[in-house]
Amino acid sequence: MELCEDPYIEMQGLSFSRGERVIFDKVDIAIPRGKVTGIMGPSGTGKTTLLKLIGAQLRPDRGCVLVDGENTTTMKRSKLFSVRKKMGMLFQSGALFTDLSVYENIAFPLRVHTDLSEALIRDMVLMKLHAVGLRGARDLMPSELSGGMARRVALARAIVLDPEMIMYDEPFVGQDPMAMGVLVQLIRMLNDALKLTSVIVSHDVRETASISDYIYVVGDTHVLGFGTPQQMLNSEDPRIRQFMQGLPDGPVPFQYPAKDYREDLLGSGDA
Amino acid sequence: MHKLLARLRLLGRAGLEGFEALGRSVIMLSRAIFGRSVFGSRYQLLLAQLYSVGVLSLVIITVSGLFIGMVLSLQGYNILVTYGSEQAVGQMVALTLVRELGPVVTALLFAGRAGSALTAEIGLMKATEQLSSMEMIGVDPLKRIVAPRFWAGFISMPILALIFSAVGIMGGAMVGVNWLGIYEGSYWGVMQNSVSFTDDVLNGIIKSVVFGFVVTWIAVFQGYDAIPTSEGISRATTRTVVYSSLAVLGLDFVLTAVMFGGL
């Protein structure tokens, strides 16, 4: 694929399972450098797991993950922590440290990884908070924030070290329409202004398609398709079409695997 | 035959799981406490934990110590007075506290007061992805979260046990001397003659150092290894208290046998 001549992240022959359940089976994914890539798919297909595999918080059963050319699957633990400094990750819940204020949460990565003076840290924290529209909320504790605000604070924390890549885990869930519009713009703006590589895991088709350069559709342990948002929206593949157009049932079943409904209700009564 | 095999298999699996957990806990602890510190000012984290683990346990430790000393003195007096040897109450109270009840009861109270709190705190951090996000920021949660809590428990326990014994001895004096009328000089004098620093006090300290290590290790591991759901955390907290209590009582027997049993 010509788009991926210079991928920032490369996953080759990646297989991962949780217990008996296979999540990914020999998946190849390349995330192009400097672009916004959406990873989409129905709930429960392992999108968040994919981000954890990229961040090497989980180890694949087979295959390897290359981040900026370095293989994280065989890396030593201490080296891994230094590679992770190049990545920012926005967790679905925000995952703010509940014992620190908003200000201290954002200052945390700076205090740990840099020797900046307190005045400089203050300026950087306020700039990042201003970017997400929450400069006035600096003294609040995470428990005093709404879910959407917590996510924006977490975004400020994720970008405070100016990472090379940001991973967003379901960034659009639970945002009100106003904050949503701002967030969508913000992700795009950050990517272009800071020359980042962005990965968005989401099942919000409209928002993700509107800011992504490329989209992967995953489902059923495989990559179903890859291309520009337009290509994906116009895809002929029935499984991709079902997801992108939000059809309730199709080749990808709405039901979690189960035995026959009729048999289940009227059957032997072994329950 | 079939059922017997199934039982055996279950037993085997439980055994394997137990050993696996033990292995994980050893790896966790060694990663937490050996190697280079990620955070330069780790002593500040340690101080904060010493406060919440140690200082905040002071109330329960001193109040319990006081009452236990008072009860010991009362019971001891009632028995010894029938032999006319109530002067030995001081000796009895001091030896019981310094050798046994000080380290053991402190460890049990500590497991309930501080151990369960450590487990719940770390488990909840895991459930709310705080540990994960810390990892992604490039900070090892074993060094930043687990290590200071472990050291705080390890350091606090012997100090708390000493305070427990000291307060208990004073409680014993309060009841024995001030209330029951034992001659003050003999209460303290007999105690001073019979309690040896190396055999009694030092052995008690060694016990509480061992208990501090084990109880805190169990507490931080159960939190770190908890299944990140509300049920998982509640079970982990329960396990911390149960395992720590059993470990303390079992180890106490072994240590006592080695120290005082003439082995």
Side-chain angles (χ1 to χ4, degrees):
Chain A
M1 256 179 274
E2 30 73 46
L3 325 153
C4 289
E5 271 175 0
D6 180 25
Y8 188 76
I9 290 166
E10 227 178 331
M11 308 176 105
Q12 295 164 346
L14 192 81
S15 299
F16 183 78
S17 44
R18 280 186 195 275
E20 299 286 297
R21 195 163 150 244
V22 178
I23 312 267
F24 294 114
D25 184 25
K26 299 199 192 79
V27 169
D28 294 302
I29 288 180
I31 308 282
R33 192 184 294 270
K35 306 284 184 193
V36 179
T37 307
I39 294 178
M40 313 198 62
S43 314
T45 46
K47 301 188 295 294
T48 304
T49 308
L50 191 71
L51 291 188
K52 294 203 163 173
L53 284 164
I54 295 177
Q57 293 190 297
L58 294 173
R59 302 249 160 165
D61 301 336
R62 271 188 307 280
C64 64
V65 181
L66 302 177
V67 175
D68 204 8
E70 290 183 282
N71 188 348
T72 56
T73 34
T74 52
M75 204 172 265
K76 273 181 66 180
R77 217 174 126 78
S78 49
K79 178 89 168 63
L80 206 53
F81 279 104
S82 66
V83 169
R84 285 193 186 129
K85 283 181 217 167
K86 298 197 284 188
M87 309 179 191
M89 177 152 171
L90 182 65
F91 285 81
Q92 195 170 346
S93 61
L96 298 174
F97 303 132
T98 44
D99 55 337
L100 301 178
S101 68
V102 165
Y103 179 94
E104 284 301 323
N105 256 287
I106 299 171
F108 178 84
L110 294 171
R111 293 195 201 285
V112 179
H113 290 308
T114 68
D115 292 322
L116 298 178
S117 70
E118 197 53 45
L120 212 51
I121 287 181
R122 181 173 181 276
D123 288 351
M124 285 185 71
V125 170
L126 293 186
M127 276 159 63
K128 304 293 176 184
L129 268 176
H130 187 75
V132 297
L134 290 173
R135 190 161 43 85
R138 72 186 94 158
D139 294 325
L140 297 181
M141 293 303 282
S143 57
E144 298 170 289
L145 301 174
S146 72
M149 283 160 82
R151 202 106 34 94
R152 276 146 71 195
V153 173
L155 177 58
R157 187 179 65 181
I159 57 174
V160 77
L161 280 180
D162 293 327
E164 295 173 8
M165 177 186 71
I166 304 191
M167 298 185 272
Y168 301 90
D169 188 2
E170 300 285 5
F172 307 121
V173 173
Q175 295 286 357
D176 64 62
M178 253 164 45
M180 174 93 91
V182 174
L183 195 64
V184 169
Q185 275 183 357
L186 199 61
I187 292 176
R188 186 74 239 184
M189 225 169 62
L190 282 173
N191 191 78
D192 298 345
L194 303 175
K195 303 251 183 307
L196 296 173
T197 302
S198 307
V199 182
I200 303 174
V201 154
S202 176
H203 47 231
D204 291 297
V205 175
R206 211 162 54 89
E207 285 75 24
T208 313
S210 72
I211 47 168
S212 297
D213 296 303
Y214 302 107
I215 287 181
Y216 274 94
V217 179
V218 293
D220 193 21
T221 74
H222 293 291
V223 171
L224 301 179
F226 169 65
T228 62
Q230 211 50 46
Q231 282 171 337
M232 286 294 108
L233 285 167
N234 298 334
S235 170
E236 292 295 316
D237 186 324
R239 293 176 302 182
I240 297 178
R241 241 187 34 199
Q242 184 201 343
F243 177 76
M244 296 299 281
Q245 300 179 3
L247 309 175
D249 220 347
V252 181
F254 168 67
Q255 291 285 344
Y256 194 81
K259 64 177 169 181
D260 186 61
Y261 190 30
R262 192 182 157 80
E263 193 190 319
D264 217 358
L265 289 178
L266 302 174
S268 51
D270 55 357
Chain B
M1 195 64 201
H2 223 71
K3 274 188 178 163
L4 195 68
L5 272 180
R7 286 265 168 86
L8 266 178
R9 202 172 294 149
L10 269 180
L11 192 69
R13 190 177 302 154
L16 281 179
E17 274 168 13
F19 277 113
E20 223 176 283
L22 187 66
R24 280 202 305 278
S25 68
V26 172
I27 292 174
M28 182 209 74
L29 191 68
S30 56
R31 275 183 181 160
I33 62 180
F34 295 123
R36 213 159 42 88
S37 151
V38 175
F39 201 64
S41 60
R42 222 173 82 190
Y43 72 96
Q44 277 181 348
L45 297 171
L46 180 63
L47 280 183
Q49 289 308 319
L50 276 173
Y51 178 76
S52 77
V53 166
V55 176
L56 292 183
S57 302
L58 269 177
V59 174
I60 188 172
I61 293 295
T62 45
V63 172
S64 314
L66 187 70
F67 279 120
I68 286 192
M70 284 159 65
V71 168
L72 278 176
S73 180
L74 200 54
Q75 292 279 19
Y77 179 83
N78 284 332
I79 296 169
L80 291 173
V81 80
T82 52
Y83 306 101
S85 39
E86 64 270 21
Q87 289 81 7
V89 165
Q91 172 191 3
M92 195 213 74
V93 168
L95 284 182
T96 316
L97 279 170
V98 168
R99 283 184 181 181
E100 285 297 332
L101 291 185
V104 172
V105 176
T106 303
L108 295 178
L109 291 171
F110 185 86
R113 157 69 184 73
S116 58
L118 286 178
T119 305
E121 189 188 16
I122 297 177
L124 259 172
M125 282 184 176
K126 187 176 177 185
T128 52
E129 293 183 308
Q130 291 183 53
L131 296 185
S132 257
S133 72
M134 192 171 279
E135 269 184 11
M136 287 308 297
I137 289 172
V139 177
D140 190 345
L142 287 175
K143 297 250 152 59
R144 167 91 196 187
I145 301 288
V146 172
R149 283 167 177 74
F150 173 79
W151 287 121
F154 183 67
I155 295 169
S156 303
M157 183 79 88
I159 301 174
L160 288 173
L162 280 177
I163 293 173
F164 184 96
S165 298
V167 172
I169 289 169
M170 285 190 264
M174 227 162 70
V175 167
V177 176
N178 301 344
W179 180 25
L180 299 171
I182 302 170
Y183 174 54
E184 194 173 6
S186 58
Y187 181 89
W188 295 108
V190 173
M191 187 190 302
Q192 208 169 8
N193 282 335
S194 57
V195 178
S196 116
F197 181 77
T198 46
D199 288 347
D200 302 316
V201 179
L202 207 60
N203 276 340
I205 293 175
I206 291 173
K207 273 186 180 179
S208 64
V209 167
V210 174
F211 297 159
F213 183 88
V214 172
V215 170
T216 328
W217 183 16
I218 291 175
V220 290
F221 174 68
Q222 290 297 343
Y224 192 73
D225 205 51
I227 300 165
T229 60
S230 20
E231 199 204 353
I233 292 168
S234 99
R235 291 173 106 181
T237 315
T238 310
R239 274 205 298 268
T240 293
V241 177
V242 173
Y243 290 178
S244 314
S245 308
L246 292 178
V248 164
L249 295 172
L251 278 171
D252 183 49
F253 176 74
V254 175
L255 289 172
T256 307
V258 172
M259 291 168 174
F260 304 103
L263 279 179

